[in-house]
């Protein structure tokens, strides 16, 4: 099984930390995001495709061609225009209907969260969040995701989607939609995916976010 890790972003809200290194190599809880992700992956995941961009040489040097027992491949996102286009770069590496993990490189995933997500054919890690306007707000029906709205001005709830999905190659059929921020989020593709697939909301840890330096500092101080 393959995993795709989206690690191309510039991490603008994490500056000045991300001026000299990619966000995925910042340390949280004593390890980089990438270390947390790779060590949380189960044995059935034997290949990881990392989408790189900002400070990509550092990521390639850190992971190499094999890390934590997983083969590592790279694809470069030359234009920093969102997680949607980044996801589409993985299309050539998948067969029709092939199931895989999609992970944001700043999602602090655990082995249990990945295991819980893989227990379903398709799933999306979700959580309660005090600032839902900064994320994709989810609508559920009997535990199934039926809609998601990216960073709404007026959130309908505090339940949001995170950066861990179990999906298949059908995701590449959908064209990402431009958000008012100017980027093309993968959530706009998932919005279409969940209309045609049963995607289960898997409960993750509440209020876990690493969008800003303050959030990283707060988490590290709590450890």
């Amino acid at each position: 099984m393959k995993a795709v890790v989206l690690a191309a972003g510039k991490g603008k809200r994490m500056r000045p930390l991300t001026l000299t290194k990619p966000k995925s190599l910042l340390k949280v809880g004593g390890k980089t995001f990438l270390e947390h992700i790779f060590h949380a992956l189960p044995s059935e995941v034997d290949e990881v495709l990392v989408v790189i961009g900002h400070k990509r040489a550092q990521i390639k040097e850190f992971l190499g061609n094999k890390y934590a027992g997983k083969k590592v491949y790279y694809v470069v996102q030359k234009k920093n225009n969102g997680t949607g286009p980044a996801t589409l770069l993985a299309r050539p590496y998948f067969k029709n209907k092939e199931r895989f993990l999609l992970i944001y490189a700043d999602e602090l995933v655990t082995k249990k969260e990945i295991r819980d997500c893989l227990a379903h054919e398709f799933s999306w890690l979700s959580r309660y969040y005090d600032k839902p306007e900064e994320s994709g707000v989810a609508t559920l029906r009997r535990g199934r995701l039926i809609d998601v709205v990216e960073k709404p001005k007026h959130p309908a709830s505090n339940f949001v989607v995170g950066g861990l999905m179990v999906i298949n190659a059908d995701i590449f059929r959908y064209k990402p939609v431009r958000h008012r921020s100017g980027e093309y989020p993968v959530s706009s593709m998932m919005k279409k995916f969940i209309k045609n697939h049963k995607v289960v909301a898997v409960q993750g840890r509440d209020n876990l976010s690493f969008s800003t330096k303050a959030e990283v500092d707060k988490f590290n101080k709590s450890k």
Side-chain angles (χ1 to χ4, degrees), residues 65-79:
N65 296 320
K66 192 171 186 178
Y67 189 85
K70 319 292 185 187
K71 293 181 180 177
V72 183
Y73 305 92
Y74 303 94
V75 62
V76 177
Q77 184 179 16
K78 296 180 180 179
K79 186 176 181 181

Side-chain angles (χ1 to χ4, degrees), residues 136-205:
V137 176
T139 300
L140 274 63
R141 181 180 297 153
R142 294 188 293 275
R144 175 181 175 178
L145 282 154
I146 60 170
D147 195 20
V148 60
V149 180
E150 183 68 22
K151 298 177 181 176
K153 292 182 178 180
H154 305 288
S157 77
N158 287 79
F159 200 69
V160 304
V161 288
L164 169 61
M165 290 145 265
V166 178
I167 51 180
N168 72 6
D170 288 350
I171 191 69
F172 303 125
R173 298 178 182 177
Y174 308 117
K175 184 178 179 180
V177 177
R178 187 177 184 272
H179 187 261
R180 65 178 181 276
S181 65
E183 293 192 344
Y184 294 78
V186 71
S187 59
S188 65
M189 298 161 67
M190 285 296 292
K191 186 180 180 75
K192 301 169 186 175
F193 186 90
I194 63 180
K195 299 296 182 184
N196 299 302
H197 305 77
K198 182 181 178 180
V199 179
V200 176
V202 172
Q203 183 72 47
R205 290 166 289 174

